[in-house]
Amino acid sequence: MRAGFPDFRLGSVLATSFTGTLTERRGNVVERIPTPQRLIDWLAAYGLAVDSCTTAQLELARELRESIHAAATAAAMQEPLPASAVQVINDRSVQGRAAAVLTPEGDRQWRLSSASRVEDALSVIAADAISIIAGERDGKLALCASPTCQAAFFDTSQSGTRKWCDMNTCGNRQKKARFNANQRRNGTAARTGAG
């Protein structure tokens, strides 16, 4: 990744990984696509290479990201979907020109229009969000158990009981905090018991 910017958190589900470009929403917020070039970099990491990105297109992307986050959070909590979020997701879905194509290996890839516009890439992300929020894929939406994160993620684990959006960040941070709390508690108990 480019120097000076936080690394991307790359997951296996496009739409919820896209919402992960803004992390620690309830703590010290980390914006992982602060510039148009960083959005280009993120899209390329997901096979959605675009030729260029303007500040206005970056704002469209952030609006879609926040709408997906709001709708996915509502779905995970089994609450009504926010109408404004649904509208943005639908608008982005229909405004792009992208097509699913089959690779020789039997995988699905997205082919953007010949101009490779940001709007085309956003339509792919919006379509992915629609498929998971509508319950068309195996798995379920859940919220990260980290009190500073609470990101919506798509749980495809066999048990359906995943707690963290990312085990390497939120999960490890929480396990470390529990370990340190236990160490402090055990150290206090050992000192008071020795007296």
Side-chain angles (χ1 to χ4, degrees):
M1 299 301 149
R2 293 180 187 268
F5 292 112
D7 288 339
F8 295 134
R9 291 183 179 176
L10 301 176
S12 61
V13 178
L14 179 63
T16 54
S17 294
F18 187 56
T19 66
T21 61
L22 183 71
T23 55
E24 298 303 310
R25 291 170 181 268
R26 291 181 173 41
N28 294 323
V29 176
V30 178
E31 175 62 73
R32 295 174 189 278
I33 54 169
T35 66
Q37 182 59 51
R38 285 300 282 170
L39 177 59
I40 292 171
D41 295 343
W42 188 91
L43 292 169
Y46 279 92
L48 298 170
V50 297
D51 296 331
S52 63
C53 179
T54 66
T55 302
Q57 289 171 320
L58 176 61
E59 289 309 311
L60 286 176
R62 288 178 177 162
E63 180 184 38
L64 175 61
R65 173 186 69 193
E66 295 312 301
S67 295
I68 293 170
H69 177 72
T73 298
M77 298 175 70
Q78 299 179 341
E79 295 177 352
L81 302 180
S84 60
V86 169
Q87 186 66 51
V88 168
I89 294 167
N90 289 340
D91 287 349
R92 294 298 162 269
S93 179
V94 300
Q95 288 174 350
R97 294 174 302 192
V101 296
L102 191 61
T103 68
E105 297 78 30
D107 297 322
R108 180 183 68 171
Q109 270 186 340
W110 287 98
R111 181 173 297 150
L112 305 182
S113 70
S114 59
S116 297
R117 301 175 319 134
V118 168
E119 290 83 357
D120 300 334
L122 296 180
S123 74
V124 172
I125 296 167
D128 191 59
I130 291 167
S131 75
I132 62 173
I133 294 169
E136 296 175 350
R137 295 181 18 205
D138 289 337
K140 70 173 190 162
L141 282 161
L143 299 178
C144 183
S146 168
T148 61
C149 179
Q150 303 243 306
F153 65 91
F154 194 62
D155 183 1
T156 58
S157 66
Q158 192 169 11
S159 65
T161 58
R162 199 171 115 200
K163 293 174 64 172
W164 317 107
C165 65
D166 185 277
M167 189 60 210
N168 292 326
T169 53
C170 292
N172 284 343
R173 191 177 309 128
Q174 292 302 309
K175 286 183 176 191
K176 184 177 179 181
R178 273 196 313 272
F179 175 80
N180 288 339
N182 286 338
Q183 290 294 87
R184 284 191 299 274
R185 196 169 35 253
N186 291 340
T188 302
R191 284 192 298 275
T192 50

